[in-house]
Amino acid sequence: MSNMLYHAYLPENHEHHVSLEEVMNGGIKYSTKSNNRYSNGGRVKFEITELLKPSNAPAWLNFKEAIGVDLTNRFSNSFGFPIFTDKILVFDGDISLSIYDQAFYEDLKDFDEEALNFDTGETIEYWLKLYWKSMMTLEDYLIKRSYPKPEVLIFESVPKEIIQLCEE
C-alpha cells in the first residue's frame, strides 16, 4: 500500500494547467485550477446535497472546498505527496458520474436534445442519497477497495512543503 496521493500536473496546453511554480510556491488549494479536472459529485447540486447530508458526516466536510486526488500516478506528470491528514473521504466514482449525467439531463432537457441521452432514469435525489451512502474514510477504502473508480477528496489544502513532482 502506498502512502502517497497524486494530483494532476497537466500540460501547458490543457485548459486546467497550473504552473509548477504556482503549486510549489502555494501548495494545492480547492481553487487551484487543476482541481477542476476532478469529479466532485457533492458539488454538482450543492443545495440538494446539503439537504440530504447524513448526520454522521464530519463537520469539516465542505464539497465547495474539496481537492480531488488519485491513489496512483495516472499521468505522465503528477504532484505527489504523502497522506498528511485524516480529512480525506472516498466516494463511489460511478455514482458521481451518474450525478453529473442526471444533473445535465435535468438542467438542459428542455433546451438541448443531447441532454436526453443523459437521463439515468432516476432522480438527482436518488443519486445523491447513494453518493452519501458510498462515503467512507480513506483508511476504510484502502482496506476494502469497494469501488473500481474511487472519487478521492481531500478537505484541506495540501501544503507546499510536502509536494514533489512525480514523472514517469
Side-chain angles (χ1 to χ4, degrees), residues 67-147:
I67 298 168
V69 296
D70 297 301
L71 297 175
T72 58
N73 186 2
R74 299 181 334 150
F75 301 92
S76 55
N77 292 313
S78 290
F79 297 109
F81 46 89
I83 297 170
F84 67 97
T85 179
D86 61 357
K87 294 180 181 178
I88 304 173
L89 295 173
V90 181
F91 297 85
D92 187 331
D94 288 328
I95 293 171
S96 185
L97 290 176
S98 293
I99 291 168
Y100 278 89
D101 287 349
Q102 192 60 33
F104 182 74
Y105 167 74
E106 290 181 12
D107 289 348
L108 299 173
K109 64 184 175 189
D110 296 330
F111 313 103
D112 184 346
E113 192 173 310
E114 182 187 353
L116 301 177
N117 297 325
F118 291 87
D119 184 5
T120 65
E122 298 291 348
T123 64
I124 198 75
E125 290 82 3
Y126 169 86
W127 290 115
L128 286 169
K129 286 176 186 174
L130 281 183
Y131 185 73
W132 277 118
K133 285 181 185 174
S134 78
M135 177 180 68
M136 63 176 56
T137 64
L138 176 61
E139 184 180 29
D140 285 345
Y141 179 80
L142 292 174
I143 293 167
K144 300 173 187 172
R145 302 276 178 177
S146 303
Y147 315 123

Side-chain angles (χ1 to χ4, degrees), residues 150-168:
E151 180 180 84
V152 185
L153 301 173
I154 299 178
F155 295 88
E156 184 176 321
S157 294
V158 181
K160 65 182 180 182
E161 295 80 13
I162 66 170
I163 299 171
Q164 61 188 11
L165 182 61
C166 299
E167 300 175 291
E168 282 193 353

